[in-house]
Amino acid sequence: MGHPINSSKHDYGIMFNEDEETGLLSSNRESSNGTDDIYSFKVLQKPVVIAVTTLERKQNEQKKNVQLPLPQVQLLIAQQNQNDSSTALTNTKGQYFMDGRKGNSYVMQGSKQGYLNQHSLVVVPKTAPDTLQVAMVFDRDEKNVAIVLENIYYDLDKWDIRSDAAKELDKLAEVLVANPTIKIELSSHTDSRESLKYNQVLSERRAQAAVDYLIEKGIAKDRLTAKGYGKTRLVNKCTDGVSCPEEMHQQNRRTEFRIK
């Protein structure tokens, strides 16, 4: 059950009252001669198991992201606003299970050679289930390899950053903070509908809007480059005049970043 219910001494015979928050336990924790005493307790913060899964983001031929387990990731874990930290290593399935407390927040830094460092703030609500699932997604640190950002959508003929897109850009900002030496190109792409000129201008405005958002989040301007490619880099057969379902057009309407 963790500290302070468990101590380094001999603890046994725990009993909970009907409220499941108070009870009695037997322990020799304060004894100088090894004798046992009965202690009463009240649980101020209920325990929770934080199940961390580390994943690698990959892309298939259709530029769709898939996530596969990433084993042996080094984790640096600390309770928020506390100086003490601990290290851990995820297992061969990319899993690590840690004891936490409901109502606390934990800062996790993940690192593995060949991958971008990841940062995660885990806020554990007081009403959290007994097991809280946390996923950390890693990208390779290869240069000039496009990584598609998911859920970056824009309204028709608009380039404003919507609330759903802002959440994904916030994640990218965290990656840039955790990897302070990298510089990226943030690019926007469109589908084949509308003219070449129209799509080129629209994609440039959308890419610049994303860069401006990251700058507002504190990322240095000289680390970011905005690039619009319009409809010049389609990922499927949906060129001018080809009938395609909306899902395939969406594959072309994407926002990517690549390490320069």
Side-chain angles (χ1 to χ4, degrees):
M1 294 189 65
H3 177 80
I5 298 297
N6 287 123
S7 71
S8 60
K9 298 297 183 68
H10 186 203
D11 309 310
Y12 65 99
I14 192 168
M15 181 198 75
F16 281 89
N17 294 324
E18 289 184 1
D19 60 13
E20 297 185 351
E21 294 185 1
T22 60
L24 303 171
L25 63 86
S26 302
S27 175
N28 66 349
R29 62 184 63 192
E30 295 181 358
S31 173
S32 60
N33 58 6
T35 57
D36 299 319
D37 291 304
I38 297 175
Y39 296 84
S40 64
F41 66 85
K42 180 178 181 179
V43 178
L44 300 179
Q45 288 184 295
K46 293 185 177 180
V48 62
V49 175
I50 301 176
V52 182
T53 303
T54 51
L55 302 165
E56 178 182 359
R57 176 162 49 188
K58 291 188 175 183
Q59 293 167 3
N60 59 22
E61 295 179 355
Q62 290 76 38
K63 289 290 184 178
K64 290 185 177 180
N65 289 329
V66 295
Q67 297 177 355
L68 301 175
L70 183 63
Q72 305 296 294
V73 174
Q74 184 82 27
L75 299 177
L76 179 65
I77 305 169
Q79 186 175 328
Q80 191 177 29
N81 300 323
Q82 299 292 325
N83 293 326
D84 293 339
S85 62
S86 60
T87 59
L89 196 67
T90 59
N91 62 21
T92 56
K93 296 181 180 179
Q95 298 173 325
Y96 176 71
F97 302 91
M98 62 169 281
D99 294 326
R101 289 291 179 270
K102 297 182 180 181
N104 284 352
S105 297
Y106 301 89
V107 178
M108 297 185 183
Q109 299 277 359
S111 60
K112 183 179 175 71
Q113 186 173 3
Y115 294 84
L116 294 173
N117 296 334
Q118 293 294 325
H119 172 276
S120 180
L121 175 62
V122 181
V123 179
V124 185
K126 292 183 179 180
T127 57
D130 291 339
T131 300
L132 183 66
Q133 303 289 337
V134 175
M136 298 181 71
V137 182
F138 291 76
D139 297 300
R140 289 190 173 273
D141 61 359
E142 300 169 320
K143 291 187 176 181
N144 296 315
V145 176
I147 300 171
V148 178
L149 296 173
E150 298 181 278
N151 303 318
I152 302 292
Y153 302 127
Y154 299 86
D155 292 329
L156 180 65
D157 200 30
K158 301 290 185 181
W159 51 88
D160 306 86
I161 302 300
R162 299 183 351 185
S163 57
D164 51 357
K167 294 178 181 178
E168 300 304 315
L169 290 174
D170 288 343
K171 296 177 184 178
L172 179 56
E174 291 181 353
V175 171
L176 291 167
V177 170
N179 300 270
T181 63
I182 68 169
K183 297 181 179 182
I184 67 167
E185 175 191 284
L186 194 65
S187 61
S188 180
H189 304 259
T190 68
D191 60 37
S192 63
R193 294 173 292 188
E194 299 294 342
S195 69
L196 189 67
K197 181 179 179 180
Y198 174 90
N199 280 324
Q200 181 62 35
V201 172
L202 183 61
S203 66
E204 289 174 358
R205 289 176 175 173
R206 287 176 171 176
Q208 188 60 52
V211 164
D212 291 342
Y213 182 89
L214 292 173
I215 292 173
E216 291 179 359
K217 288 294 180 178
I219 306 302
K221 183 178 180 180
D222 62 0
R223 298 180 62 193
L224 305 169
T225 301
K227 185 71 174 179
Y229 290 95
K231 59 179 182 180
T232 63
R233 295 190 176 184
L234 303 177
V235 297
N236 53 36
K237 65 178 183 179
C238 299
T239 57
D240 289 335
V242 176
S243 178
C244 287
E246 187 60 30
E247 180 182 357
M248 293 186 69
H249 283 302
Q250 178 59 63
Q251 293 171 9
N252 291 317
R253 297 196 305 270
R254 66 197 189 277
T255 298
E256 303 172 341
F257 78 91
R258 67 182 70 220
I259 302 170
K260 299 173 61 179

